[in-house]
Amino acid sequence: MSDRTTPIQSVQVYPAACFRVSAGANLGDGISWHEELELNDYYMLEPGALRGRLSLQADVDGGFHVAEDTGLGHPGARLHLDCALTFMSPDGQTQDAVVIVELDETDSIAGLYLLSLSELQPRVEYALVGVNPDGARACFARVACVYFTRGTHITLSTGEQRLIEDLQVGDRVLTRDDGAQEIRWIGASTVRAQGDMAPVVIEAGALNNAHDLVVSPDHRLFVYQRQDRIGAGQAELMVKARHLVNGDTVRIASGGFVEYFQILFDRHHIIYAEGIAAESMLVDPRTRPSLPPELLEKLTEVMPGHARSGHHGIDVQQALLDRPDAIDILRRASTR
């Protein structure tokens, strides 16, 4: 478990050696940092290549390091978001990715990882058509942000259940800890429902919800345990949707496109979506680049409040939830 201000961000990445140049100037080389890349090189995923879990923790200065619960890399090592890449597949579709560099104590490269925002297929050649050293943080923020999907009912201060796509700036939403709060900004985007951007479906009834709740994988849900049935040692929990996936009542909806919405308040809040307590957008070093520059200028005075208001419960590590009945245990713990 972690009680740090900034939530740990876990992403599925390929080690650089798994994605090599199949034709071009850097023939045989794995994906690398931006100064070593050549446009129009063709890359291919190695057969049998598997993604691993890299956990990132944001530092107070805006940097990143490898978190303790990582599957790849060395805990505590510094991480650098090096560049955003754009690949083109043979069918003309573009694929976005981020190169993440792990540094050792001498600031030498200790590891290279590719975070792809959509699925890569083995034995398919991907042409490198874009390298943007200034776009890595914005691209990473697309994964780090939390999203609701079109069709989600949000509880207003009046008790009305309003569809998220019908909300407007200034609408007053019911929050768990601070009553009615006005929406400061609403963001919307449509992305491929693949990889770390594929939404998680929590079926009706799984957490005493009347309708399905569909959210981004790292969206944290708030659960109050009347009894500590999960072994977290705390009553108030923050649980990532991806950690509840059991392939049955909680599943990943991969394929096609998904329309995502963000809700921003002057502080980070717990609101109610389909009756489930869930977090609103938290502005921190991971997610800040996703906001429009003009909005950031207006919110300079209130943004520090997000960092101070990020504690609504203990973040539960995946190990405590790595069981098929985790969602049932949490449902029972919250009701009796």
Side-chain angles (χ1 to χ4, degrees), residues 66 73-74 77-79 100-113:
V66 181
H74 300 84
R78 201 155 59 87
L79 292 170
I100 302 176
V101 179
E102 179 182 351
L103 302 171
D104 63 18
E105 294 179 353
T106 65
D107 281 346
S108 298
I109 295 177
L112 282 162
Y113 310 99

Side-chain angles (χ1 to χ4, degrees), residues 306-326:
H306 275 249
R308 293 193 297 268
S309 63
H311 289 294
H312 295 287
I314 294 294
D315 280 337
V316 181
Q317 287 188 356
Q318 185 175 2
L320 290 179
L321 300 165
D322 193 14
R323 47 192 299 175
D325 60 344

Side-chain angles (χ1 to χ4, degrees), residues 27 29 91 96 108 179 201 300:
L27 183 64
D29 291 349
D91 61 1
D96 295 326
S108 298
V201 180
T300 300

Side-chain angles (χ1 to χ4, degrees), residues 60-278:
V60 293
D61 62 359
F64 295 89
H65 65 268
V66 181
E68 292 293 330
D69 72 337
T70 193
L72 293 174
H74 300 84
R78 201 155 59 87
L79 292 170
H80 171 58
L81 304 183
D82 181 73
C83 60
L85 305 179
T86 303
F87 295 95
M88 182 172 289
S89 59
D91 61 1
Q93 298 293 318
T94 57
Q95 320 271 343
D96 295 326
V98 179
V99 172
I100 302 176
V101 179
E102 179 182 351
L103 302 171
D104 63 18
E105 294 179 353
T106 65
D107 281 346
S108 298
I109 295 177
L112 282 162
Y113 310 99
L114 182 73
L115 167 62
S116 178
L117 272 61
S118 54
E119 297 288 349
L120 297 174
Q121 301 299 324
R123 300 185 179 87
V124 173
E125 286 192 317
Y126 296 91
L128 179 61
V129 297
V131 179
N132 183 4
D134 298 323
R137 283 183 172 266
C139 194
F140 179 76
R142 290 163 57 187
V143 178
C145 286
V146 298
Y147 306 92
F148 299 99
T149 56
R150 173 175 285 274
T152 301
H153 291 89
I154 303 297
T155 303
L156 301 187
S157 59
T158 60
E160 177 191 348
Q161 303 291 307
R162 185 175 296 176
L163 292 173
I164 193 166
E165 60 267 27
D166 294 335
L167 292 175
Q168 297 181 6
V169 171
D171 283 345
R172 294 170 63 81
V173 172
L174 178 65
T175 69
R176 180 181 183 272
D177 299 306
D178 296 292
Q181 295 294 321
E182 289 189 1
I183 296 174
R184 173 72 73 143
W185 176 76
I186 300 173
S189 59
T190 300
V191 301
R192 287 191 179 91
Q194 297 180 350
D196 287 310
M197 300 304 291
V200 173
V201 180
I202 301 170
E203 288 191 352
L207 275 179
N208 302 309
N209 44 312
H211 305 284
D212 290 356
L213 174 64
V214 187
V215 294
S216 54
D218 280 328
H219 207 131
R220 293 182 299 167
L221 311 177
F222 175 87
V223 176
Y224 180 83
Q225 295 190 107
R226 297 179 184 276
Q227 299 182 43
D228 185 13
R229 295 178 179 268
I230 207 70
Q234 298 285 338
E236 297 186 345
L237 310 179
M238 296 293 285
V239 181
K240 290 183 178 180
R242 71 161 76 240
H243 293 166
L244 298 175
V245 172
N246 57 17
D248 182 19
T249 56
V250 185
R251 65 185 187 278
I252 297 173
S254 183
F257 290 84
V258 59
E259 191 171 2
Y260 277 136
F261 292 84
Q262 300 158 272
I263 302 179
L264 177 70
F265 300 91
D266 284 350
R267 295 180 59 196
H268 181 241
H269 288 290
I270 301 299
I271 63 176
Y272 296 92
E274 302 299 355
I276 294 178

